[in-house]
Amino acid sequence: MAEKLWDGRFSAGTDKLVEKFTSSIDVDKKLYAHDIKGSIAHAKMLAHESIITYDEADIIVKGLENVKKDIEDKNFVFSDSLEDIHMHIESALAEKSGDAARKLHTGRSRNDQVALDIRLYIIAETKKIIQSLETLQKILVNTAKKYIDVVMPGYTHLQRAQPVLFSHHLMAYYEMFKRDADRFKDSLKRSDVMPLGAAALAGTTYPLNREYTRKLLGFSKISDNSMDSVADRDFAMEFISHASICMIHLSRLSEEFVLWSSSEFAFITISDAFTTGSSIMPQKKNPDVSELVRGKTARVVGNLMAIITLMKSLPMTYNRDMQEDKEPLFDTVDTLKACLEIYAAMIPNIEVNRSVMYSACEHGFLNATDLADYLVGKGMPFRQAHSVSGKAVAYALGKGKELHELSVDDFRQFSDLIDADVFDYLSIEKMISRRITHGGTGYETVKKAVEKAEKDFKQ
Ligand code: ARG
């Protein structure tokens, strides 16, 4: 059994059950590269401040690099008796590098060490996620461009409301993912704070040069309160919160893909490569990718609940409860990255059924608001126009017709302001073209939004 690094005050060994229960190595071994990076910087700083010699630091650095290689070559034994990744690395280093290695932990605690490792991990993963979000945004913009003039019904309450451009609909998701990327960029600032030097909770008696360590590790600033440094997991809660919002966006897109690819809607066809079949029903082609992304949203939101509940009411400073922060964090990172990746691959593989979308716009009185607008244009106050249009809708419903299928005489029963030009006014193309206020679904407006998005990418 490996020697414990904290066994000085203990006369009896740890119960096997306790070792197994308290061990986190299966989970936190993922942090090995960050842990080693932090330890190398700490050792170099100790030498720079003459707390250890440069020779000792060299031995430590070389030893740590060898440990890293062993882990990567799968030449490393993990065991519950060494609890976590920090103990494993330090103990392996001691085996390789002897006494010099035993100086590495000078002026450091696992409490500031783990805080550092998680921060390094979150910073690295946040940057990757921002990139994936930007890739997805580009794909949405390209798809919007490809189908720039395809019309579809826009919905409220999942009832057909008004015609919109499919490209406008996709650009709504572009906006969501842009906000997600902005949120991650913003929270990077709060992750980018170097906690080493806080030690267990109170700072240390050694003349550590925290600025020097900060520079070596590439952080923007050092933390200002040693107690907060080891107790803070805001950055992890914030990360999972942003990830949850992003997953909510993906789940909404997923729900639309599920609906649109159903025979009831038939707005899109997802390519065979991104659908799966049924083991019993030969005709089935299921949108499993979208369903799974929708389902995985629950995991990430669950992870958010786990971490915020974990941190609730914890007294200052570090508490072992906090070891439980890693599973929800790692699971969130893996899930979000996988979902972003699969959507980026799937979206270019959809086929848009233009004529089905178009004919859906012709049924369900999607031009009723425009009939009211038409009357307003002829001088009628909007409220009255709304009521006239409503009466025309009721009349058409009774006849089993749409508004554009009525005659001018039919219309005139409700207002003599209506002329034959109403039909052109109520055409789908005209309804779209008129919506040119900033952010509207007009052809020109959406083209401009797409161009602006493309310009934003080029910067
Ligand atoms: N494995 C621990 C964690 O992830 C590291 C810190 C342990 N600190 C301690 N005082 N036991 O939280």
Side-chain angles (χ1 to χ4, degrees):
M1 191 183 78
E3 170 203 359
K4 287 215 174 7
L5 298 171
W6 43 252
D7 63 3
R9 65 98 68 211
F10 290 82
S11 46
T14 318
D15 191 291
K16 280 274 168 251
L17 263 181
V18 173
E19 274 191 358
K20 197 164 162 12
F21 187 73
T22 56
S23 165
S24 57
I25 188 61
D26 282 347
V27 175
D28 62 25
K29 60 178 161 204
K30 207 179 191 126
L31 293 173
Y32 80 90
H34 299 301
D35 196 75
I36 288 172
K37 185 176 174 191
S39 288
I40 289 178
H42 183 66
K44 285 185 176 166
M45 181 278 294
L46 290 176
H48 188 259
E49 300 309 308
S50 309
I51 301 167
I52 62 174
T53 66
Y54 275 105
D55 286 346
E56 286 167 334
D58 274 352
I59 295 171
I60 292 174
V61 171
K62 287 206 183 82
L64 285 167
E65 279 161 359
N66 284 332
V67 172
K68 187 169 179 210
K69 192 170 176 315
D70 284 349
I71 297 177
E72 281 163 2
D73 293 348
K74 310 235 177 304
N75 200 5
F76 192 93
V77 184
F78 293 104
S79 133
D80 283 341
S81 65
L82 283 171
E83 273 187 46
D84 56 25
I85 190 63
H86 325 294
M87 298 283 216
H88 274 79
I89 290 173
E90 208 185 319
S91 158
L93 181 68
E95 262 171 45
K96 279 194 196 302
S97 315
D99 279 347
R102 293 177 205 281
K103 296 197 172 178
L104 169 63
H105 214 49
T106 313
R108 190 177 68 165
S109 152
R110 273 187 297 158
N111 298 352
D112 57 350
Q113 189 177 354
V114 73
L116 173 77
D117 293 3
I118 308 172
R119 283 177 184 273
L120 286 170
Y121 170 81
I122 288 189
I123 291 169
E125 295 300 333
T126 302
K127 287 180 181 163
K128 288 185 215 159
I129 287 167
I130 292 170
Q131 265 185 1
S132 302
L133 277 165
E134 286 175 353
T135 303
L136 186 56
Q137 286 171 63
K138 276 184 204 158
I139 284 164
L140 284 165
V141 170
N142 289 341
T143 314
K145 230 174 138 180
K146 183 168 166 196
Y147 299 111
I148 191 83
D149 60 348
V150 171
V151 292
M152 69 179 292
Y155 293 80
T156 63
H157 313 267
L158 201 56
Q159 309 283 324
R160 287 183 197 165
Q162 291 173 351
V164 292
L165 288 178
F166 178 63
S167 47
H168 193 49
H169 197 133
L170 289 181
M171 289 301 284
Y173 284 97
Y174 164 83
E175 294 292 333
M176 292 178 228
F177 295 125
K178 187 165 175 247
R179 284 198 297 276
D180 288 328
D182 283 349
R183 257 186 288 274
F184 280 117
K185 283 178 198 161
D186 188 61
S187 62
L188 256 186
K189 285 184 251 161
R190 285 172 292 281
S191 304
D192 185 12
V193 179
M194 210 287 298
L196 271 195
L201 76 163
T204 132
T205 53
Y206 300 96
L208 303 189
N209 185 338
R210 300 189 62 211
E211 263 303 314
Y212 189 76
T213 316
R214 174 192 74 74
K215 266 195 221 130
L216 288 180
L217 289 170
F219 278 91
S220 299
K221 66 181 287 268
I222 57 173
S223 57
D224 288 329
N225 179 297
S226 64
M227 294 176 76
D228 181 49
S229 307
V230 294
D232 175 23
R233 291 293 181 274
D234 291 5
F235 57 97
M237 292 190 275
E238 204 178 343
F239 175 89
I240 304 180
S241 162
H242 294 349
S244 298
I245 297 175
C246 184
M247 285 300 298
I248 299 284
H249 294 153
L250 286 168
S251 79
R252 296 181 75 172
L253 183 59
S254 297
E255 177 69 11
E256 307 222 75
F257 270 43
V258 170
L259 288 172
W260 292 348
S261 62
S262 68
S263 338
E264 281 68 16
F265 277 78
F267 285 179
I268 61 168
T269 309
I270 304 173
S271 81
D272 284 0
F274 286 86
T275 48
T276 52
S278 155
S279 57
I280 177 169
M281 295 169 284
Q283 85 283 12
K284 291 298 288 288
K285 182 170 151 179
N286 297 326
D288 297 42
V289 168
S290 295
E291 292 171 273
L292 272 171
V293 170
R294 200 172 56 179
K296 283 176 190 292
T297 304
R299 292 163 73 110
V300 175
V301 174
N303 290 338
L304 176 63
M305 293 307 115
I307 196 160
I308 62 176
T309 314
L310 172 71
M311 296 309 293
K312 179 190 167 294
S313 313
L314 283 188
M316 286 289 107
T317 51
Y318 176 84
N319 299 272
R320 190 64 179 268
D321 316 42
M322 288 156 73
Q323 179 166 289
E324 291 290 312
D325 59 359
K326 286 166 210 66
E327 273 186 85
L329 177 62
F330 295 166
D331 183 66
T332 298
V333 167
D334 294 345
T335 307
L336 180 58
K337 283 200 316 201
C339 293
L340 290 171
E341 185 188 24
I342 197 96
Y343 258 101
M346 184 165 68
I347 292 174
N349 280 285
I350 60 164
E351 209 180 280
V352 170
N353 307 329
R354 181 189 280 263
S355 59
V356 179
M357 285 189 180
Y358 191 90
S359 75
C361 292
E362 293 177 315
H363 302 99
F365 302 96
L366 284 84
N367 46 13
T369 314
D370 286 67
L371 176 58
D373 291 344
Y374 171 87
L375 290 163
V376 169
K378 302 240 165 174
M380 190 182 279
F382 181 76
R383 269 292 151 241
Q384 195 187 336
H386 182 282
S387 160
V388 169
S389 177
K391 286 190 181 113
V393 167
Y395 174 81
L397 267 174
K399 299 267 172 213
K401 290 184 173 175
E402 287 289 325
L403 284 178
H404 50 273
E405 290 166 346
L406 298 179
S407 66
V408 178
D409 286 342
D410 288 332
F411 277 125
R412 285 196 183 234
Q413 301 172 66
F414 309 104
S415 168
D416 52 16
L417 291 174
I418 302 178
D419 291 315
D421 61 350
V422 73
F423 298 107
D424 180 53
Y425 194 92
L426 294 186
S427 73
I428 292 170
E429 290 72 20
K430 287 285 162 64
M431 286 195 283
I432 300 274
S433 314
R434 277 193 297 271
R435 287 171 162 76
I436 50 167
T437 45
H438 180 81
T441 195
Y443 296 104
E444 288 310 311
T445 326
V446 176
K447 213 177 273 168
K448 266 190 221 143
V450 166
E451 277 161 16
K452 183 181 177 300
E454 282 185 310
K455 223 183 273 154
D456 286 349
F457 287 135
K458 285 195 187 110
Q459 273 166 20

